[in-house]
Amino acid sequence: MNRQDRADAVDREMAARLLPDSVVRALGQWWEVNASAYPDGTPGAHTIRYTPSRWAQITPWPKALAPTSASGDAAVSRAQVAAAVVDALQREAFREALVGTYVWGKGKRGTPGGSGPAALHKILASDGLDTALAAAVTALREHGAPKAYAALKGQVPGLGPAFFTKFLYFTGTTVPPAHGPRPLILDRILARRLRQIAAAVGRESGHDPDGSIATWVWSDSNWTPHRYRIYLSFMHDAAEQLTKDAHWPSEAAPDLLECALFTTR
């Protein structure tokens, strides 16, 4: 088999096996610790702290975020960002929706002169931004999450999958996809979680004895639309798997699994 054939074989094995027992146990322990933080079984309360004044150059600025004239730090939850995106998309204010999801995704990371506000400022200055965001929303509505992903991949300099999947994730609360699962966030941390599972499956199945296939397909960035499709399928099926476990909320959605995998170390 060539490299792609081996990758496909590992994907099929992962789809059949889903989460290994060790990961299921770790997620159950995560839920025991975090159940009180997410009493509704969703990650809506997942809150990020940020410094509004660092983003003073950014417009349009969502009303759901603290004003950039505020001193000190502020906090914003997934639920608050989702509400802000609902409001923005009803007005077709795609840039405003992107700003809300980007600030939540970046939080306090980065520096004023580098990653964070400066990077977002350059993204907002891109001539093709409005067209790309509108095309992604349309693709999500008419075709599904992988097509929406493809509509954004490589279209806006500086806006990579780790951040545009956040835009797609929150957009999915307003614009349900025409086909297939709702979009989820995929970033470097989540890719590494899937890489660990894929490497174990590859060793056990013999399709990837040295883990090179897992490293290739679950790289740290620049995932293909096909890989995003595989990711969504796995995560939604794994979430269904977890609902049958006594140590996981029975009505939990896939984004709770995404949140747990992101925050579990």
Side-chain angles (χ1 to χ4, degrees):
M1 291 193 293
N2 62 30
R3 187 165 70 160
Q4 186 58 57
D5 289 337
R6 292 168 62 202
D8 293 342
V10 172
D11 287 340
R12 288 192 295 270
E13 287 288 342
M14 283 184 65
R17 303 184 188 200
L18 297 177
L19 298 171
D21 290 343
S22 60
V23 174
V24 171
R25 287 194 299 270
L27 290 168
Q29 292 169 357
W30 178 90
W31 178 245
E32 287 180 6
V33 173
N34 291 278
S36 61
Y38 307 117
D40 60 354
T42 79
H46 181 201
T47 298
I48 301 298
R49 297 195 64 78
Y50 64 104
T51 306
S53 62
R54 289 184 56 227
W55 303 85
Q57 63 180 316
I58 299 301
T59 57
W61 189 251
K63 294 180 180 179
L65 299 178
T68 55
S69 59
S71 60
D73 291 346
V76 64
S77 69
R78 287 196 189 212
Q80 290 171 318
V81 174
V85 170
V86 168
D87 175 66
L89 292 184
Q90 287 173 344
R91 294 180 280 111
E92 295 190 346
F94 302 120
R95 287 169 172 256
E96 187 177 318
L98 176 65
V99 169
T101 64
Y102 195 100
V103 172
W104 177 86
K106 180 59 69 174
K108 290 175 66 64
R109 293 176 296 151
T111 62
S115 175
L120 180 57
H121 189 265
K122 292 178 181 178
I123 291 168
L124 293 171
S126 173
D127 290 338
L129 178 62
D130 296 296
T131 299
L133 294 177
V137 173
T138 298
L140 181 63
R141 179 185 296 113
E142 296 182 355
H143 303 290
K147 288 289 187 181
Y149 182 100
L152 279 173
K153 187 177 186 298
Q155 296 303 304
V156 180
L159 183 60
F163 280 90
F164 74 62
T165 58
K166 293 176 176 66
F167 172 80
L168 293 178
Y169 164 68
F170 286 106
T171 296
T173 64
T174 303
V175 183
H179 308 287
R182 289 179 181 268
L184 293 170
I185 298 167
L186 175 58
D187 62 12
R188 174 176 53 86
I189 292 174
L190 289 157
R192 289 181 178 181
R193 299 288 182 265
L194 273 290
R195 188 190 310 165
Q196 292 169 351
I197 296 172
V201 168
R203 286 193 303 270
E204 294 167 5
S205 65
H207 295 305
D208 183 24
D210 61 359
S212 60
I213 296 297
T215 299
W216 174 49
V217 298
W218 297 109
S219 58
D220 280 353
S221 62
N222 201 34
W223 309 284
T224 64
H226 170 73
R227 185 53 36 191
Y228 189 60
R229 185 192 306 274
I230 294 295
Y231 171 72
L232 292 182
S233 178
F234 179 86
M235 291 290 284
H236 281 256
D237 288 347
E240 179 66 22
Q241 171 195 10
L242 283 173
T243 62
K244 300 171 185 177
D245 186 270
H247 302 291
W248 192 256
S250 60
E251 301 299 324
D255 56 349
L256 184 67
L257 170 59
E258 171 259 299
C259 179
L261 289 175
F262 179 84
T263 57
T264 300
R265 294 292 184 266

